[in-house]
Amino acid sequence: AQRVTQPEKLLSVFKGAPVELKCNYSYSGSPELFWYVQYSRQRLQLLLRHISRESIKGFTADLNKGETSFHLKKPFAQEEDSAMYYCASNTGNQFYFGTGTSLTVIP
Amino acid sequence: GAGVSQSPRYKVAKRGQDVALRCDPISGHVSLFWYQQALGQGPEFLTYFQNEAQLDKSGLPSDRFFAERPEGSVSTLKIQRTQQEDSAVYLCASSYPRTGGAVADTQYFGPGTRLTVL
């Protein structure tokens, strides 16, 4: 079965510092990878997907098939980035989510 | 436009009671997903509908869980004889496949129903 691992449950960085949220997946095929975000008192929403190769709110994520990773990065963290971040993978009809990383950006 | 809505937002049930959770997807969205999110965990896939057809129910934890979407829009997740381990937030998401019925499209999530079983 697929598995998505987010090793850090909590991550704190200072405003303006770089941030990297780690995600590793286990699947021998070619899954689609996503990052979802949940801001305080808001619903879960898509942040970005690897197939789009886009930058959203300054965040990027590169799929590294050799390391089976899809880490989320931003060069300069902002206070409004504080949220819960979930990495997810999809094959077929199913989506698999990681356990999430709570990011706090310290002013 | 209106997003995905779920009702009730909160449900408290005594162990052994049956509960029904409702999801109203975004109008026109073909795909509908149910997830279970336990405290401190990520969402776990339960089941998937394409229109009224339940194409995947492999994530339902037991035969006490049943989901339906009879007219291809509103969906109901029913849990019979609730147990304490069923306590969780139940999330519904819908999406409109962009091409060829692809499943992996942007999912729009509802606010969830928080179920507490005493």
Side-chain angles (χ1 to χ4, degrees), chain A residues 9 32 34 36 38 43-46 49 51 86 90 92-100, chain B residues 4 33 35 37 40-43 45 48 55-56 58 98 103-107 109-111:
Chain A
K9 287 202 77 71
E32 289 207 50
F34 306 79
Y36 278 81
Q38 188 166 26
R43 57 187 70 187
L44 201 57
Q45 60 185 285
L46 178 69
R49 51 193 301 173
I51 198 170
Y86 293 96
N90 160 258
N93 297 328
Q94 297 190 16
F95 281 78
Y96 297 89
F97 283 81
T99 53
Chain B
V4 177
F33 303 80
Y35 295 88
Q37 186 172 19
Q41 302 296 315
F45 171 84
Y48 162 66
L55 299 187
D56 193 325
S58 61
R98 284 177 292 181
V103 170
D105 205 332
T106 300
Q107 292 188 42
F109 281 82

Side-chain angles (χ1 to χ4, degrees), chain B residues 50-107:
Chain B
Q50 189 172 78
N51 294 308
E52 69 278 4
Q54 189 174 20
L55 299 187
D56 193 325
K57 56 181 181 179
S58 61
L60 296 176
S62 76
D63 58 8
R64 296 187 295 103
F65 287 71
F66 172 77
E68 59 183 5
R69 195 186 184 196
E71 297 178 359
S73 55
V74 171
S75 178
T76 303
L77 176 67
K78 298 178 179 178
I79 309 173
Q80 296 177 323
R81 303 181 304 281
T82 52
Q83 304 294 314
Q84 285 188 323
E85 61 262 28
D86 300 335
S87 295
V89 174
Y90 289 85
L91 296 169
C92 175
S94 70
S95 68
Y96 184 81
R98 284 177 292 181
T99 58
V103 170
D105 205 332
T106 300
Q107 292 188 42

Side-chain angles (χ1 to χ4, degrees), chain A residues 40-65:
Chain A
S40 179
R41 289 186 290 278
Q42 294 188 27
R43 57 187 70 187
L44 201 57
Q45 60 185 285
L46 178 69
L47 179 62
L48 56 80
R49 51 193 301 173
H50 92 271
I51 198 170
S52 302
R53 302 187 65 81
E54 56 195 347
S55 173
I56 304 294
K57 299 184 178 182
F59 284 98
T60 58
D62 290 321
L63 179 61
N64 185 322
K65 291 187 178 181

Side-chain angles (χ1 to χ4, degrees), chain A residues 1-105:
Chain A
Q2 287 194 56
R3 186 173 297 278
V4 175
T5 304
Q6 294 180 251
E8 305 140 326
K9 287 202 77 71
L10 303 171
L11 183 63
S12 295
V13 299
F14 285 101
K15 178 182 173 181
V19 61
E20 180 180 67
L21 289 85
K22 291 183 169 51
C23 172
N24 289 88
Y25 65 93
S26 61
Y27 186 65
S28 58
S30 297
E32 289 207 50
L33 277 299
F34 306 79
W35 277 98
Y36 278 81
V37 61
Q38 188 166 26
Y39 301 102
S40 179
R41 289 186 290 278
Q42 294 188 27
R43 57 187 70 187
L44 201 57
Q45 60 185 285
L46 178 69
L47 179 62
L48 56 80
R49 51 193 301 173
H50 92 271
I51 198 170
S52 302
R53 302 187 65 81
E54 56 195 347
S55 173
I56 304 294
K57 299 184 178 182
F59 284 98
T60 58
D62 290 321
L63 179 61
N64 185 322
K65 291 187 178 181
E67 296 181 359
T68 60
S69 68
F70 188 56
H71 303 328
L72 183 68
K73 300 178 184 179
K74 184 169 182 176
F76 307 104
Q78 302 299 314
E79 289 179 63
E80 56 265 28
D81 296 329
S82 295
M84 194 75 182
Y85 292 81
Y86 293 96
C87 181
S89 72
N90 160 258
T91 54
N93 297 328
Q94 297 190 16
F95 281 78
Y96 297 89
F97 283 81
T99 53
T101 297
S102 176
L103 174 66
T104 300
V105 180

